[in-house]
Amino acid sequence: MSIDVNKSDSLHLFLEARADTDDAQLNTITSRHDDISLVSIREFYKHAPSHLSKPIVTKSNKHKQTLSRLGWELEQRKRLSGKLELLQKTRDDVVEEIGLKKQKLQTLSPHLQALLKSSFPLQESFNLPLDYIRKQHELANLLPRPLYALFLQAKAYQEACDKLLAVTIEGDSSVAQVLLHRTMKEDKKFCLSAEGGEDSDSDLEEKDYQDSRRGLKSRRSNEQKMESDSPVLYDVLHCHPLSVILNLDVEQNGPTLQLKFFYFTTLNFVTVKTCKLSGYTSGDPLPSSPLLSGDNLLQCLLPSDYGLTCPNPSAVYLLEKSSLQIEESVFEFGRPYIWAQKLCGLEFLLNIEDDQKQRSFCKMEHAICKLRKRVLSRIKLAKQLKNFSENKVSCADKIMMLLPKKIQSSLAEWKNLSFSEYRNLPHTHAITDLGLLGSEKEAENHLYFLAVIKRGTTAKLKAAIALKKNYPETIPLITLALKWRGTKYSGNDQNIREMEAEVNVKWSPIVKELSDEILAAQLLRLMAMLDIYVETECENCHLNQPGEFSLNRTCPRFTKGPARLKPLWFQKSNKTHVHHWLC
């Protein structure tokens, strides 16, 4: 039987191709263990027991090595599975125990509330407001960092040194909790993004943390509230819902100053507002004066600190970008004084000349003393201004001893001036031109008065007074114009110039111990000098004019020198009027 050679070769080629295809398919088939993540070979031989690893056999046989590694993996997983079951059982036992304790606490809660309520009279009797203190401490944990620093300092200073100071926290705690949660979440996201990590685990941890603190229902309600309030919370002018209040008794049975501190979360600065200044508990009422208002009372506790500018340089750009003015948007919550930033631990790059005074306001003790001194000096100044408006000028006995007993000049008129009215006076041009009142913006914040001192019916001395906001640290600046036998001022009369130097420079250091009465002492000194001026002028024999005012004082010499200066200085030892350089 013959065989076709061509068919035989074709069959042979077909079988070879089929064999190659089967080999290729076998090569593509993978085992299930390839999907299992096994420990490295090095770790396997290091930790696996010898009866499983069999290094003598498996190191030279790849297949047996893989089987041994799978066996070790199975044993490890069985061990971990047993440990997991044990931990789950432990967790279930703990959850059951917690549930029983919660149930027990829920039954005890009404009894505890009733017991706490019944203890309120006892707490008040022993001055132990435990419930109030606990709530204040809970609110303190929700404060932003600057207000928390203020609260901590003030509370510590109150407990250690000053019982006339009271510190409280007010505001909406629920909104503060939402804001704190949002801030914590953003901080964690920022840290994770900086480290290059994912935030899924962080979100789960945050969720568990919130659930454990407030419960799932409370957390969801706060989340909904946060979403609804988010346009307000992240507004440029958003003010933190909590504020710190300082109630400062200026002295025992004296007035009480209440200051309220706010924090702007986006602009990152603090404002302070004078809520009220209540009267004396002993019955002495406070004078009604704009000097005791919030805008005037706290200005210039630091040099040139009027609270009119933004203390944070970066916040200036935020306000400009939003087309907002700090006066329009912030002053409702007080003013951002530099001393308030220092007190709350906020540090900015600022151009303040007196850096030592700026740093001293970091101390609570210095700030409280400064505030007390300011309130007392303003109350005394307000009472003096009220007396001036009634044409009364009085001073302490220590100052009256430096003046003649009989002063015939008197205060005839006292009125307030605006800055524009002050600078339009002819005898104040030199003051404004030399810039002695500061910049135009600073000068508008000073207080201005016009005092008219009369001797007889013809001599009128007009005193223009500029009172800076940091009085009495800076003495009042007085310029004079005398209407008597013409108009005389420092530009055309050397004696008027000497009177201005006397009252502004030479007289004030003498009465610096009674600094709160400097203004009254200056007015009394002007009255005494006006008497000397007109009396010696009338007694001058070289003037062929009638003696309108008789000389009632002892003056060794009426005039001296080419400028014919008058004896303006009173020598209390022998009760004579002499020239200043003779003393």
Side-chain angles (χ1 to χ4, degrees):
M1 183 176 178
S2 62
I3 299 175
D4 192 346
V5 177
N6 293 330
K7 290 183 178 181
S8 177
D9 293 340
S10 300
L11 181 61
H12 181 68
L13 292 173
F14 172 75
L15 293 174
E16 289 181 353
R18 181 63 180 271
D20 293 339
T21 303
D22 292 341
D23 292 341
Q25 290 178 353
L26 287 174
N27 291 333
T28 58
I29 295 175
T30 59
S31 176
R32 290 183 62 185
H33 81 274
D34 292 336
D35 298 331
I36 300 174
S37 178
L38 300 177
V39 298
S40 64
I41 297 176
R42 180 179 178 182
E43 293 292 326
F44 168 68
Y45 284 114
K46 182 177 180 181
H47 298 290
S50 58
H51 69 275
L52 282 177
S53 61
K54 300 177 182 179
I56 300 175
V57 178
T58 56
K59 284 187 177 181
S60 59
N61 192 323
K62 196 73 172 178
H63 176 67
K64 291 184 178 180
Q65 186 186 66
T66 302
L67 291 176
S68 297
R69 292 175 65 191
L70 288 172
W72 168 244
E73 184 70 23
L74 178 62
E75 184 176 335
Q76 289 292 97
R77 293 196 179 194
K78 286 181 178 180
R79 187 184 305 167
L80 291 175
S81 178
K83 188 176 181 180
L84 176 62
E85 291 178 357
L86 181 61
L87 291 176
Q88 286 178 342
K89 186 178 181 303
T90 305
R91 185 198 64 179
D92 294 340
D93 294 340
V94 171
V95 170
E96 183 179 358
E97 183 181 356
I98 291 174
L100 293 174
K101 289 183 178 180
K102 281 184 176 180
Q103 186 177 1
K104 186 176 181 180
L105 288 176
Q106 287 175 357
T107 58
L108 287 175
S109 179
H111 301 288
L112 292 175
Q113 293 294 334
L115 180 62
L116 183 61
K117 188 175 181 180
S118 62
S119 68
F120 288 163
L122 188 62
Q123 293 182 30
E124 293 178 0
S125 300
F126 287 95
N127 195 19
L128 293 172
L130 302 178
D131 186 65
Y132 174 77
I133 294 174
R134 177 182 59 81
K135 290 180 179 179
Q136 287 289 300
H137 288 177
E138 290 176 356
L139 288 175
N141 292 327
L142 302 175
L143 286 173
R145 187 180 297 273
L147 294 185
Y148 183 80
L150 172 66
F151 177 79
L152 190 63
Q153 283 194 82
K155 199 68 178 175
Y157 181 73
Q158 171 201 354
E159 294 176 356
C161 305
D162 196 342
K163 302 303 179 183
L164 298 179
L165 174 66
V167 192
T168 57
I169 303 173
E170 287 186 359
D172 192 340
S173 59
S174 61
V175 180
Q177 284 180 350
V178 174
L179 187 60
L180 178 63
H181 168 63
R182 174 67 66 89
T183 305
M184 291 173 57
K185 193 172 182 180
E186 288 185 349
D187 290 345
K188 285 190 176 183
K189 285 184 178 180
F190 176 78
C191 294
L192 288 171
S193 62
E195 295 174 0
E198 298 180 356
D199 58 353
S200 59
D201 292 339
S202 176
D203 290 341
L204 289 174
E205 291 175 2
E206 183 65 25
K207 180 180 178 182
D208 293 339
Y209 173 73
Q210 294 295 334
D211 290 345
S212 63
R213 287 191 61 188
R214 295 191 295 269
L216 183 60
K217 182 177 179 180
S218 175
R219 188 185 66 83
R220 285 180 177 174
S221 63
N222 283 341
E223 289 288 342
Q224 292 173 359
K225 187 173 183 179
M226 179 181 63
E227 293 298 328
S228 63
D229 291 345
S230 59
V232 179
L233 291 177
Y234 287 90
D235 188 70
V236 173
L237 300 176
H238 171 243
C239 185
H240 197 275
L242 297 181
S243 58
V244 175
I245 299 178
L246 299 185
N247 289 290
L248 177 64
D249 290 341
V250 179
E251 56 186 3
Q252 195 73 34
N253 297 326
T256 300
L257 175 66
Q258 186 181 87
L259 301 178
K260 198 169 186 177
F261 291 80
F262 300 89
Y263 176 65
F264 285 80
T265 56
T266 305
L267 298 177
N268 189 29
F269 60 70
V270 172
T271 60
V272 58
K273 182 178 182 180
T274 302
C275 295
K276 63 179 180 179
L277 180 63
S278 57
Y280 289 84
T281 58
S282 58
D284 187 8
L286 284 171
S288 57
S289 171
L291 286 171
L292 302 177
S293 65
D295 292 341
N296 289 315
L297 192 60
L298 302 179
Q299 289 183 347
C300 292
L301 287 173
L302 285 177
S304 303
D305 184 15
Y306 295 94
L308 300 174
T309 58
C310 183
N312 186 1
S314 61
V316 176
Y317 295 98
L318 289 175
L319 291 171
E320 291 179 353
K321 187 177 180 181
S322 303
S323 301
L324 296 172
Q325 298 292 329
I326 188 171
E327 294 87 354
E328 303 171 354
S329 50
V330 174
F331 285 177
E332 178 185 356
F333 299 93
R335 296 196 179 190
Y337 297 106
I338 302 301
W339 62 265
Q341 318 306 316
K342 293 293 174 185
L343 207 56
C344 295
L346 292 173
E347 295 286 343
F348 304 114
L349 294 175
L350 299 168
N351 185 18
I352 293 184
E353 297 179 359
D354 198 347
D355 188 56
Q356 185 65 34
K357 290 185 178 180
Q358 179 187 7
R359 287 197 299 269
S360 66
F361 252 92
C362 297
K363 299 180 180 179
M364 179 62 63
E365 180 181 5
H366 182 274
I368 296 299
C369 293
K370 194 85 170 179
L371 287 169
R372 282 200 172 104
K373 186 177 179 181
R374 168 60 62 86
V375 173
L376 290 175
S377 65
R378 284 300 173 86
I379 291 174
K380 293 178 181 178
L381 178 61
K383 291 180 178 179
Q384 290 178 39
L385 296 182
K386 184 180 179 181
N387 290 335
F388 297 162
S389 65
E390 299 172 355
N391 299 334
K392 300 176 183 177
V393 183
S394 60
C395 221
D397 293 338
K398 290 183 178 180
I399 296 177
M400 298 303 296
M401 291 174 59
L402 304 176
L403 298 170
K405 285 187 177 181
K406 189 175 182 181
I407 298 177
Q408 295 181 330
S409 298
S410 61
L411 180 63
E413 185 180 354
W414 177 271
K415 65 177 182 179
N416 296 337
L417 296 178
S418 64
F419 176 59
S420 59
E421 292 173 335
Y422 174 85
R423 65 181 175 184
N424 288 333
L425 295 174
H427 54 285
T428 61
H429 290 169
I431 300 297
T432 54
D433 292 343
L434 291 173
L436 298 181
L437 301 177
S439 63
E440 179 116 1
K441 192 172 183 180
E442 291 179 344
E444 290 176 354
N445 286 280
H446 302 327
L447 301 175
Y448 300 97
F449 305 95
L450 180 64
V452 179
I453 301 173
K454 292 180 65 175
R455 172 70 189 270
T457 58
T458 56
K460 291 183 180 181
L461 180 65
K462 292 186 177 181
I465 304 170
L467 193 71
K468 294 188 176 182
K469 289 296 180 68
N470 63 343
Y471 173 88
E473 293 180 7
T474 300
I475 65 173
L477 184 61
I478 299 177
T479 55
L480 304 174
L482 176 63
K483 287 191 175 182
W484 183 64
R485 296 179 178 179
T487 301
K488 303 172 183 179
Y489 58 97
S490 60
N492 60 11
D493 191 300
Q494 182 67 28
N495 283 293
I496 298 296
R497 190 180 304 171
E498 283 296 315
M499 290 171 65
E500 288 183 351
E502 182 71 31
V503 75
N504 289 320
V505 179
K506 301 174 184 177
W507 177 249
S508 300
I510 298 174
V511 295
K512 64 182 179 179
E513 294 181 0
L514 302 171
S515 58
D516 291 332
E517 297 187 357
I518 286 180
L519 183 56
Q522 287 177 311
L523 292 178
L524 288 171
R525 187 75 179 97
L526 284 175
M527 294 177 191
M529 288 191 293
L530 179 60
D531 287 344
I532 288 295
Y533 186 98
V534 296
E535 290 177 13
T536 55
E537 191 76 8
C538 290
E539 291 293 327
N540 193 339
C541 59
H542 298 289
L543 295 175
N544 296 320
Q545 297 181 7
E548 183 179 0
F549 302 108
S550 60
L551 183 64
N552 297 318
R553 307 161 203 285
T554 304
C555 299
R557 298 184 64 175
F558 294 155
T559 60
K560 185 174 180 64
R564 307 193 67 78
L565 299 179
K566 301 184 180 300
L568 300 175
W569 186 255
F570 176 71
Q571 206 169 34
K572 66 176 182 178
S573 58
N574 53 14
K575 301 186 184 304
T576 59
H577 289 267
V578 297
H579 294 84
H580 193 276
W581 55 79
L582 297 179
C583 299

